[in-house]
Amino acid sequence: MGLDITGPTVVTAQVRKGPFPNFPFKRSNHPPMKKTHKTLTKMLRFGAPFTTVTSSASAISRTSPATNCQSSLTDSHLADFPRTSSFCFQQLLSYQSRLICCRNKATAEAAETMAASVASPPASKQALISLSDKKDLDLLATGLQELGYTIVSTGGTASALEKAGISVTKVEELTKFPEMLDGRVKTLHPNVHGGILARRDQNHHMEALEKHSISTFELVVVNLYPFYEKVTSTNEVLFDDGVENIDIGGPTMIRAAAKNHKDVLVVVDSQDYPLLLEFLKGNKDDQQFRRKLAWKAFQHVAAYDSAVSEWLWKQTEGDKFPPSFTVPLSLKSSLRYGENPHQKAAFYTDSSLSEFNGGGIATAIQHHGKEMSYNNYLDADAAWNCVCEFENPTCVVVKHTNPCGVASRDDLIEAYRLAVKADPVSAFGGIVAFNKEVDEALARDIREFRSPTDGETRMFYEIVVAPSYTEKGLEILRGKSKTLRILEAKKNSRGKLSLRQVGGGWLAQDSDDLTPEEIKFDLVSKKSPEEKELNDAKFAWLCVKHVKSNAIVIAKNNCMLGMGSGQPNRVDSLRIALRKAGDEVKGAALASDAFFPFAWKDAVEEACESGIGVIAEPGGSIRDADAIDCCNKYNVSLLFTGVRHFRH
């Protein structure tokens, strides 16, 4: 297309230095076409700025930074230019100095609009895509192409795009270098990282790109080698195989784009593809959106690196307590509030390798009921951890993280009723946990069971948790209450690291996994316990480890009769447990989470006087001899376990 210029126009070429002479355009004879094209093309090639000035008094001038020499160009000269191609004028108008040709002030605005329309279109925006997980790749790539993006990709991602019929530029076309070292080196190249890291607001950055013919990237979409999946697979993973699945180029690109997020969008999660495309369609400059994607990118790499670090530590030292480590947490849900309504709260799952398939409440499936609260998680965790300690069919009832009822029976319905009977007042509004499947009969009993205190009030619970439910059992439980939370959980694996926060730091320890079969119940008194009494002592000992210190549990016939918890002194905990056990205390077993500092006229003697048949405690007090003598006086069996179960 051509421009119709009718009035005499002066073209000012500003050149202080360089290859441009002060040439005259205005001559008596028209200059040859070839020479004119050659001269103007030379000016454009070397970046000579231009200013156009109309000859009228109302002329508008657009001037580049320097001014030196002038030459006039008449319309007769312009006529020599081929109007079909407008070779020089198209180049002049597309140049950054914007050659503006106008006859007078009235036509200036129209001329600028025309110049913009004639100018060459801007270079296509580039997106770099390199994915191990190619979920929704076609959706992303199609959307980007519709928005005018050129897609640059690597290896398998490029092949997948080509198979989908999507135009793609392979990264080696940019780097002029093939993939090497079995794919270890693909994108680690200035032509890639220069285009990602260059700041668009820094002239020397952009000049460097131009000097080295490097194009910018506006978008980087990357996810990483499946290292976590590889090292947690059921098949044994060789060390070299694990190392080969450590991504290097991917994290480098992600970090580069995230650092330069002001100019480069970075996406690491396929769930963000729709939001990304919507953002690009809006053609907005939302820095908050960019920052969120950058945060997510750095967090993604951090979690990835923590898995690599955890795995490598286990391959080298094997110690549970490395000099430093990272715990990768993922938000599972925002909670209504914390322990109290004025506290904000959220629930996170632990993505550490050690927690893979580790079971527990964090990965439980909720089949029914209101959303879980902060306190619900704490109580459900306490109930589930306790009930999973038992091999025989067992029910545990928990209130405020303390088991207030525990019973083991072949008939799980009987176990449930005995667990509630231990402390029906506390059980109301508590959490009920089972270590075996909940079937139709048990579900119906849970739904209809009345409180032992009056025989009329239907028992109410916040949560029921079990390893599984029959279809009918689940249906019946759902009918008990719209709010009843029904959880299905896997048993906690043993050997986990237990973490607890204190102000400014964390405490780490082995979980308290010891079972009665792993310790010795040493007889230190004259009277030996009968087999039934020994079993009751082991049952009570297993219960007391889940009660807050100072803790006392009284049990008989594999059933908790009473417990005292959280008291500053052991005597008060004993008295609470005795009061709850009532007349059934005769011949029962008593377990203490720690040794008795005193015996005479203290907890040991009170227990003996109440009719307790056997006492299990860790021992280790400087007054152990007093405890032994006291038990011998009252003909009570005394067992030392050598294992303390403090629980704070």
Side-chain angles (χ1 to χ4, degrees):
M1 68 190 283
L3 289 178
D4 187 11
I5 310 296
T6 56
T9 304
V10 177
V11 180
T12 303
Q14 302 112 21
V15 183
R16 290 188 175 178
K17 55 184 177 180
F20 304 107
N22 293 339
F23 54 86
F25 277 127
K26 189 173 182 180
R27 298 178 182 173
S28 57
N29 296 319
H30 294 169
M33 176 74 69
K34 184 176 180 181
K35 184 176 181 181
T36 305
H37 279 197
K38 182 177 180 181
T39 303
L40 291 178
T41 304
K42 185 177 181 183
M43 293 180 68
L44 286 165
R45 185 183 299 121
F46 290 94
F50 289 90
T51 296
T52 64
V53 184
T54 60
S55 59
S56 65
S58 60
I60 301 217
S61 176
R62 302 277 183 179
T63 309
S64 291
T67 57
N68 245 355
C69 64
Q70 285 191 341
S71 294
S72 60
L73 181 64
T74 64
D75 44 293
S76 59
H77 289 76
L78 300 175
D80 289 333
F81 289 80
R83 289 175 178 261
T84 55
S85 64
S86 298
F87 172 77
C88 293
F89 285 92
Q90 285 192 42
Q91 294 193 60
L92 287 169
L93 291 167
S94 66
Y95 192 68
Q96 290 181 357
S97 59
R98 298 183 303 161
L99 177 63
I100 306 299
C101 299
C102 55
R103 182 177 178 84
N104 52 44
K105 187 175 181 179
T107 60
E109 186 175 340
E112 288 195 32
T113 303
M114 184 181 296
S117 66
V118 173
S120 300
S124 173
K125 293 182 178 181
Q126 287 193 123
L128 178 58
I129 305 178
S130 180
L131 303 173
S132 290
D133 180 2
K134 298 173 179 61
K135 179 183 177 182
D136 292 334
L137 172 59
D138 53 345
L139 168 70
L140 172 68
T142 302
L144 290 176
Q145 283 206 331
E146 289 175 354
L147 291 169
Y149 276 78
T150 296
I151 296 176
V152 178
S153 192
T154 61
T157 307
S159 299
L161 290 169
E162 288 175 337
K163 287 181 182 178
I166 296 171
S167 177
V168 60
T169 300
K170 294 185 177 180
V171 73
E172 50 263 40
E173 296 178 37
L174 266 66
T175 62
K176 308 302 181 186
F177 211 89
E179 292 185 13
M180 62 182 296
L181 306 181
D182 299 320
R184 285 189 171 197
V185 178
K186 291 182 284 191
T187 58
L188 297 172
H189 193 281
N191 284 1
V192 174
H193 286 277
I196 297 173
L197 283 166
R199 289 181 56 179
R200 313 316 193 244
D201 60 352
Q202 296 292 320
N203 289 335
H204 64 287
H205 281 207
M206 303 310 293
E207 289 168 1
L209 295 190
E210 185 177 358
K211 178 180 178 181
H212 298 286
S213 301
I214 298 174
S215 300
T216 58
F217 286 101
E218 284 66 41
L219 171 64
V220 171
V221 184
V222 176
N223 56 47
L224 307 175
Y225 292 168
F227 176 83
Y228 186 97
E229 291 77 7
K230 182 68 176 180
V231 298
T232 56
S233 63
T234 53
N235 299 325
E236 184 179 354
V237 179
L238 298 176
F239 180 78
D240 288 346
D241 289 340
V243 170
E244 282 306 308
N245 277 272
I246 299 174
D247 204 327
I248 301 300
T252 307
M253 288 187 289
I254 291 171
R255 289 174 62 86
K259 178 176 182 177
N260 201 27
H261 63 270
K262 182 179 178 182
D263 298 311
V264 184
L265 288 160
V266 57
V267 177
V268 296
D269 185 352
S270 60
Q271 291 185 356
D272 291 328
Y273 293 169
L275 286 174
L276 170 70
L277 294 173
E278 191 66 28
F279 174 81
L280 294 175
K281 288 176 184 177
N283 197 26
K284 297 178 293 186
D285 186 21
D286 185 348
Q287 288 299 313
Q288 287 300 313
F289 179 74
R290 290 175 174 271
R291 288 174 187 174
K292 286 180 180 179
L293 289 179
W295 162 81
K296 193 169 188 177
F298 278 119
Q299 185 61 40
H300 180 67
V301 174
Y304 188 87
D305 287 344
S306 73
V308 174
S309 174
E310 181 183 355
W311 179 76
L312 276 174
W313 178 258
K314 290 179 179 178
Q315 302 299 315
T316 51
E317 297 292 337
D319 195 314
K320 265 192 175 178
F321 306 104
S324 65
F325 67 98
T326 303
V327 179
L329 302 178
S330 300
L331 180 66
K332 182 175 183 178
S333 61
S334 295
L335 306 179
R336 287 174 294 160
Y337 50 80
E339 282 187 283
N340 303 290
H342 65 276
Q343 295 172 273
K344 293 183 178 180
F347 183 61
Y348 292 82
T349 56
D350 188 342
S351 302
S352 300
L353 296 177
S354 59
E355 286 290 339
F356 180 76
N357 278 341
I361 287 299
T363 57
I365 299 169
Q366 183 171 351
H367 290 291
H368 182 71
K370 291 172 61 177
E371 64 181 30
M372 293 282 285
S373 71
Y374 185 98
N375 293 329
N376 288 155
Y377 276 114
L378 290 176
D379 289 338
D381 184 59
W384 185 241
N385 290 341
C386 183
V387 79
C388 287
E389 292 271 22
F390 298 88
E391 293 296 330
N392 296 326
T394 300
C395 174
V396 171
V397 182
V398 160
K399 192 68 167 290
H400 293 303
T401 71
N402 279 302
C404 56
V406 183
S408 295
R409 289 290 188 276
D410 291 336
D411 181 1
L412 205 51
I413 293 178
E414 184 183 359
Y416 160 65
R417 292 183 176 184
L418 288 171
V420 174
K421 182 183 176 183
D423 188 351
V425 175
S426 297
F428 193 88
I431 285 76
V432 182
F434 301 93
N435 63 350
K436 304 296 180 183
E437 184 175 70
V438 174
D439 60 14
E440 177 181 355
L442 177 56
R444 199 174 301 280
D445 207 71
I446 295 170
R447 190 180 72 177
E448 301 298 334
F449 188 61
R450 267 42 179 185
S451 172
T453 56
D454 59 13
E456 296 181 0
T457 305
R458 182 180 293 178
M459 292 300 295
F460 162 75
Y461 306 115
E462 290 278 354
I463 301 169
V464 173
V465 55
S468 60
Y469 300 83
T470 64
E471 184 177 347
K472 192 64 177 178
L474 193 58
E475 178 185 338
I476 291 170
L477 275 183
R478 283 173 173 153
K480 178 174 176 60
S481 167
K482 292 182 179 180
T483 62
L484 177 65
R485 300 163 182 86
I486 304 173
L487 304 183
E488 180 180 327
K490 293 181 179 179
K491 183 177 180 179
N492 255 327
S493 60
R494 300 186 64 187
K496 288 185 177 182
L497 189 66
S498 174
L499 296 173
R500 191 167 182 178
Q501 190 175 18
V502 296
W506 292 81
L507 292 167
Q509 66 173 355
D510 288 326
S511 54
D512 189 358
D513 291 335
L514 289 178
T515 65
E517 291 72 29
E518 295 172 305
I519 66 169
K520 291 183 178 180
F521 288 78
D522 292 328
L523 178 66
V524 294
S525 62
K526 292 179 180 179
K527 180 180 182 297
S528 296
E530 297 179 4
E531 184 178 355
K532 177 178 172 300
E533 290 178 316
L534 179 59
N535 289 335
D536 285 342
K538 291 180 178 180
F539 182 90
W541 184 86
L542 201 51
C543 292
V544 81
K545 66 183 286 190
H546 292 277
V547 178
K548 293 292 189 296
S549 300
N550 287 305
I552 297 290
V553 166
I554 297 172
K556 183 193 289 184
N557 297 328
N558 291 327
C559 177
M560 179 191 286
L561 302 178
M563 69 89 182
S565 65
Q567 299 304 305
N569 67 78
R570 203 159 296 279
V571 176
D572 285 344
S573 291
L574 171 71
R575 290 169 180 170
I576 293 171
L578 289 173
R579 175 168 52 82
K580 291 184 177 181
D583 294 337
E584 294 184 79
V585 73
K586 304 298 182 182
L590 180 150
S592 174
D593 65 338
F595 64 67
F596 293 98
F598 301 97
W600 302 110
K601 297 183 179 179
D602 205 276
V604 176
E605 189 167 21
E606 283 193 30
C608 292
E609 289 175 339
S610 68
I612 289 291
V614 57
I615 296 175
E617 56 135 318
S621 169
I622 60 174
R623 297 182 179 85
D624 278 349
D626 289 347
I628 296 171
D629 291 342
C630 186
C631 287
N632 286 335
K633 176 185 175 180
Y634 289 93
N635 199 31
V636 172
S637 300
L638 180 61
L639 306 170
F640 281 176
T641 65
V643 177
R644 189 180 71 183
H645 281 310
F646 268 161
R647 192 174 192 84
H648 290 83

